[in-house]
Amino acid sequence: MILVTGGAGYIGSHICAELARVGRDFVILDNLSNSSMDAVDRLQQLVGRAVPFHAGDVRDTALLDRIFTEHAVSSVIHLAGLKSVAESVANPIDYFDNNVAGTVRLLAAMRRADCKTLVFSSSATVYGAAATMPVTEDAPCMAVSPYGRTKLMVEEMLSDLHASDPAWRIARLRYFNPAGAHESGLIGESPRGTPNNLMPYLAQVASGERSALTVFGGDYPTPDGTGVRDYIHVVDLAEGHVAALDFLADNPQDVVLNLGTGSGTSVLEMIAAFAKASARSVPFEIAARRPGDVATCFADVGRARRILGWTATRDLDQMCRDAWRWQLVRKG
Ligand code: NAD
Ligand code: UDP
């Protein structure tokens, strides 16, 4: 049995859908702080059966112990946490508590249950402003926000944990820019309030919910002056998690892996792709750079390909089509 913390969220729900597709049993723990029962209902509709779900917090030790015992959990995919860079700057304590203290509680519960296999949601933000692209897992890490620091702190804790007891099997997955939605149109990203990320913002502009996209910076040293990122379809990302679990089953290691496509897309290219997929116009205006943003970030995906035998297969057009389908479903 696989415990998926944060399984009601954007990436977690797609991982659960993929686990169900390949016939793996899972149980979700989510406090619904950034998701809803509606997402769980839709996931159940997608997988065609009831999904074991615990509404609760990853910091709740008693609840964790109960889940590990009740469900005989043998591995964990740990996504639960807060993810807004801006919010983490304004309220770092919440981020250290949810993301770092939450992981400490989880690891302690895992040890009590003798469950020592963990896949952790890290982020390409740990590379900070890396000097060379594509960025490899061996590049130096540097946190540029409290959010990034929580990811780095957890990664360091996991490395210490594995060094203390090599029976731990750990995959630290550094996601690049997850985007798109499940092609069924049943699950996707449901940001609360104003989206921080490009793709959900674009979807809301194309649907007329927002008037225009603000492009943060037109003067970067990139081919068209706008920021370049490595957007990866969320279903490809989900498949990467299953591949990581399979790898850990045969290899008791602490492994760090980039999950991206290996190619970069600028904001203007993304606007054009979304306009094409939605057949809508996407008004935008170029404004100042967003503080903390880097010009370019895309992954070296060689290690994931080599050791997991995994590679992203869905392209930008599919990401945009699937995000657009989800936007139309979500808004009914
Ligand atoms: P999300 O907010 O949709 O999902 C996170 C889920 O965790 C939510 O359902 C939320 O309710 C739950 N949660 C938060 N704190 C919790 C707690 N203390 N106890 C129990 N549940 C809790 O975000 P997402 O985009 O699906 O991200 C999932 C993970 O991937 C996060 O750890 C995030 O930092 C990481 N990540 C995301 C991105 C991205 O761009 N989306 C990029 C890199 C890494
Ligand atoms: N971006 C933008 N307008 C927005 C949101 C994002 O121009 O409303 C740009 C941002 O500056 C970056 C890219 O889109 O170059 C991806 O940003 P996002 O926040 O989605 O991901 P990040 O890489 O910052 O985690």
Side-chain angles (χ1 to χ4, degrees):
M1 176 66 82
I2 302 159
L3 169 62
V4 184
T5 75
Y10 170 45
I11 299 168
S13 57
H14 289 82
I15 291 173
C16 291
E18 182 60 17
L19 289 172
R21 196 186 69 78
V22 298
R24 310 280 169 89
D25 283 331
F26 59 91
V27 51
I28 296 174
L29 168 64
D30 197 303
N31 67 2
L32 302 179
S33 60
N34 198 36
S35 51
S36 66
M37 273 317 284
D38 184 49
V40 180
D41 292 343
R42 287 169 170 280
L43 176 66
Q44 298 190 131
Q45 209 181 317
L46 177 60
V47 306
R49 62 174 169 85
V51 162
F53 174 78
H54 292 267
D57 202 290
V58 79
R59 292 163 295 182
D60 182 342
T61 295
L63 175 60
L64 286 173
D65 285 344
R66 207 165 66 237
I67 292 173
F68 278 97
T69 310
E70 243 175 54
H71 298 278
V73 174
S74 55
S75 52
V76 178
I77 301 178
H78 178 38
L79 303 112
L82 305 178
K83 63 164 181 176
S84 157
V85 170
E87 203 177 70
S88 79
V89 173
N91 196 349
I93 292 176
D94 274 2
Y95 276 68
F96 293 123
D97 194 26
N98 272 276
N99 295 9
V100 183
T103 305
V104 173
R105 298 268 167 82
L106 174 67
L107 294 172
M110 289 177 71
R111 190 177 55 185
R112 281 193 296 279
D114 199 30
C115 165
K116 293 185 173 173
T117 300
L118 176 74
V119 175
F120 173 64
S121 301
S122 189
S123 165
T125 190
V126 300
Y127 294 120
T132 46
M133 291 294 154
V135 64
T136 71
E137 291 86 350
D138 298 326
C141 290
M142 187 189 65
V144 287
S145 70
Y147 166 70
R149 207 172 326 280
T150 67
K151 293 294 178 193
L152 216 44
M153 287 167 83
V154 170
E155 283 212 30
E156 285 170 353
M157 284 179 351
L158 296 176
S159 164
D160 287 344
L161 183 61
H162 185 266
S164 75
D165 176 1
W168 282 87
R169 298 162 188 250
I170 296 168
R172 303 182 243 154
L173 304 184
R174 295 178 177 162
Y175 309 161
F176 280 68
N177 289 62
H182 198 271
E183 67 174 2
S184 64
L186 280 169
I187 54 173
E189 188 169 13
S190 299
R192 294 191 174 171
T194 309
N196 293 310
N197 296 114
L198 179 60
M199 181 71 107
Y201 204 107
L202 265 176
Q204 295 189 7
V205 172
S207 73
E209 229 177 294
R210 295 184 192 275
S211 54
L213 174 82
T214 304
V215 177
F216 298 135
D219 58 351
Y220 282 111
T222 58
D224 65 19
T226 66
V228 168
R229 295 290 183 278
D230 185 342
Y231 297 93
I232 172 169
H233 196 295
V234 65
V235 176
D236 280 324
L237 192 66
E239 289 173 358
H241 287 70
V242 175
L245 275 178
D246 288 346
F247 173 78
L248 292 180
D250 298 329
N251 300 277
Q253 291 184 15
D254 168 29
V255 66
V256 182
L257 292 162
N258 285 343
L259 293 188
T261 65
S263 61
T265 301
S266 75
V267 178
L268 294 184
E269 285 169 337
M270 187 60 128
I271 292 172
F274 208 94
K276 185 175 130 206
S278 62
R280 302 284 178 99
S281 68
V282 179
F284 65 90
E285 58 205 10
I286 296 185
R289 296 180 181 187
R290 184 170 63 177
D293 274 359
V294 297
T296 303
C297 187
F298 58 98
D300 183 307
V301 292
R303 187 185 289 177
R305 192 173 47 231
R306 226 171 22 253
I307 77 163
L308 300 185
W310 166 91
T311 183
T313 59
R314 295 161 179 86
D315 65 10
L316 199 62
D317 288 340
Q318 186 163 355
M319 279 178 238
C320 294
R321 274 199 309 276
D322 292 341
W324 178 239
R325 182 186 304 110
W326 168 242
Q327 171 70 18
L328 295 177
V329 170
R330 204 166 71 83
K331 287 294 148 194

